[in-house]
């Protein structure tokens, strides 16, 4: 009888251990963010804003709630990334797949090769959808008018300790339900933290984009991020570049700048309120104070266009060439 009890207890302990080990493979993470924004060069009435993505409301406003479930097996795994709120809706769009930021499964075929299928955030650009992954709270024009996410199949190859390669077959950018039969090709070549990215869909959506994203630690406290891109869809598109210098003044506070130049192509651009062959210079100064899992970001942004634009009103409500705004954001990650 004692042997039966002992064996039963051993079996129960093994089952409990197996369940706990299985649970440990499942992880939940995410973030929430909210902000206050006021326009310095015009009235807040009507919420004047740039044509870049997110953080475009005035007064107190919500960003998004991001909940990410991931499961990692021995060679396979999955990620289910849900986004709720204004920022999330702007990022994922509408339709039956609303709230799904990312949803994919992957297979580590070998130590150097991984296959991923589903919806995944773009590999192009310096900035990302989640505010946790960005230093500046507002986003750049280069990010806003490149891809947000892709649905398809990609293969990542670690060629060496320094070199990496990615190749992808996807729907046209930001299209979940492919009803046209159009597809896109993507590629990325990486070397020691510097990435050269390509996207091509034959003009079905974005057209063609080439993008460089990278950065350098110039000292223990000073980092310089770099982004440059060129996009062309039958003569319409943009090109531009942005620098991201960031200085850590203490363990909890960092100050950073985003200096961006964005130029519309001669035959047409992507900014609806700016004429073709016109440009915008954007300068954003951001502080980042970390307290446990909470990040507080005060931010001052000035955008200056080469012509008067209707979404840059002056104090009298008349179109002008510039817009300045102050934002205070709170971001909590878990």
């Amino acid at each position: 009888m004692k042997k039966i009890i002992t064996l039963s207890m051993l079996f129960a302990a093994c089952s409990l251990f197996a369940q706990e080990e299985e649970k440990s493979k499942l992880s939940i993470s995410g973030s929430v963010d909210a902000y206050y924004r006021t326009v310095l060069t015009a009235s807040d009435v009507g919420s004047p804003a740039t044509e870049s993505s997110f953080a475009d409301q005035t007064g107190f406003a919500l960003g998004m709630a991001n909940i990410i479930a991931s499961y990692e097996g021995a060679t396979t795994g999955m990620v289910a990334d849900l986004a709720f709120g204004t920022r999330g809706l702007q990022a994922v769009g509408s339709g039956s797949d609303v709230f799904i930021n990312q949803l994919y499964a992957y297979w580590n075929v070998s130590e150097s090769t991984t296959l991923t299928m589903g919806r995944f955030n773009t590999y192009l650009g310096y900035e990302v959808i989640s505010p946790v992954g960005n230093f500046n709270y507002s986003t750049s024009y280069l990010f806003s008018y490149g891809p947000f996410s892709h649905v398809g199949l990609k293969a990542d190859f670690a060629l060496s300790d320094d070199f990496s390669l990615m190749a992808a077959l996807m729907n046209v950018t930001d299209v979940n339900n492919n009803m046209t039969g159009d597809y896109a090709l993507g590629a990325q070549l990486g070397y020691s933290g510097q990435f050269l990215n390509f996207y091509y869909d034959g003009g079905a959506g974005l057209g063609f984009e080439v993008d460089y994203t990278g950065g350098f630690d110039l000292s223990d406290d000073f980092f310089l991020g770099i982004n440059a891109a060129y996009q062309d869809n039958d003569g319409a598109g943009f090109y531009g570049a942005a620098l991201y210098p960031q200085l850590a003044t203490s363990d909890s506070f960092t100050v950073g700048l985003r200096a961006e130049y964005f130029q519309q192509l001669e035959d047409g651009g992507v900014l609806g309120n700016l004429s073709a062959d016109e440009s915008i210079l954007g300068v954003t100064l951001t502080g980042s104070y970390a307290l446990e899992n909470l990040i507080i970001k005060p931010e001052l942004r000035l955008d200056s266009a080469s012509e008067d634009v209707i979404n840059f009103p002056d104090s009298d409500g008349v179109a002008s060439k510039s817009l300045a705004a102050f934002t205070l954001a709170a971001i909590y990650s878990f």
Side-chain angles (χ1 to χ4, degrees), residues 9-149:
M9 292 175 62
L10 179 61
F11 178 76
C14 290
S15 298
L16 181 62
F17 177 77
Q19 290 175 12
E20 290 299 320
E21 185 179 26
E22 193 74 9
K23 288 181 181 178
S24 69
K25 297 178 181 179
L26 177 66
S27 64
I28 305 294
S29 61
S31 66
V32 297
D33 65 286
Y35 65 95
Y36 170 81
R37 177 178 176 271
T38 184
V39 179
L40 304 178
T41 52
S43 168
D44 283 353
V45 176
S47 299
T50 69
E51 289 188 82
S52 61
S53 299
F54 316 143
D56 54 1
Q57 300 179 48
T58 50
F60 292 99
L62 302 179
M64 74 176 188
N66 191 201
I67 302 174
I68 306 170
S70 59
Y71 182 87
E72 184 176 0
T75 60
T76 61
M78 70 85 188
V79 170
D81 177 349
L82 305 180
F84 306 90
T86 303
R87 190 180 184 115
L89 287 174
Q90 290 178 350
V92 305
S94 59
S96 59
D97 298 312
V98 67
F99 306 130
I100 297 178
N101 182 28
Q102 300 186 95
L103 186 65
Y104 61 83
Y106 64 86
W107 173 28
N108 295 318
V109 181
S110 68
E111 291 184 357
S112 60
T113 303
T114 299
L115 297 177
T116 302
M117 176 177 270
R119 178 185 172 99
F120 42 87
N121 288 161
T122 189
Y123 53 94
L124 289 97
Y126 184 87
E127 300 179 19
V128 296
I129 293 172
S130 171
V132 176
N134 294 332
F135 184 83
N136 307 101
Y137 186 69
S138 65
T139 58
S140 68
Y141 294 97
L142 292 176
F143 164 79
S144 300
Y145 292 93
F148 278 3
S149 298

Side-chain angles (χ1 to χ4, degrees), residues 169-203:
L169 175 63
M170 310 165 291
N171 292 345
V172 173
T173 180
D174 296 294
V175 171
N176 289 337
N177 185 10
N178 188 344
M179 301 179 67
T180 64
D182 295 311
Y183 291 92
L185 299 175
Q188 179 186 79
L189 179 63
Y191 174 71
S192 191
Q194 315 305 310
F195 298 95
L196 188 61
N197 307 303
F198 301 91
Y199 171 91
Y200 177 74
D201 62 24

Side-chain angles (χ1 to χ4, degrees), residues 190-274:
Y191 174 71
S192 191
Q194 315 305 310
F195 298 95
L196 188 61
N197 307 303
F198 301 91
Y199 171 91
Y200 177 74
D201 62 24
L206 190 67
F208 168 76
E209 182 170 353
V210 57
D211 166 276
Y212 162 71
T213 299
F216 302 92
D217 290 309
L218 301 182
S219 71
D220 291 340
D221 301 321
F222 187 69
F223 173 78
L224 178 63
I226 306 172
N227 185 209
Y230 173 84
Q231 183 260 323
D232 188 329
N233 191 357
D234 196 23
F238 66 85
Y239 64 87
L243 296 177
Y244 298 81
Q246 297 162 18
L247 177 65
T249 60
S250 68
D251 291 340
S252 59
F253 187 76
T254 302
V255 61
L257 187 75
R258 177 180 60 219
E260 179 185 22
Y261 176 77
F262 188 87
Q263 173 72 52
Q264 307 247 76
L265 294 188
E266 186 174 350
D267 291 341
V270 293
L271 301 181
N273 292 321
L274 189 69

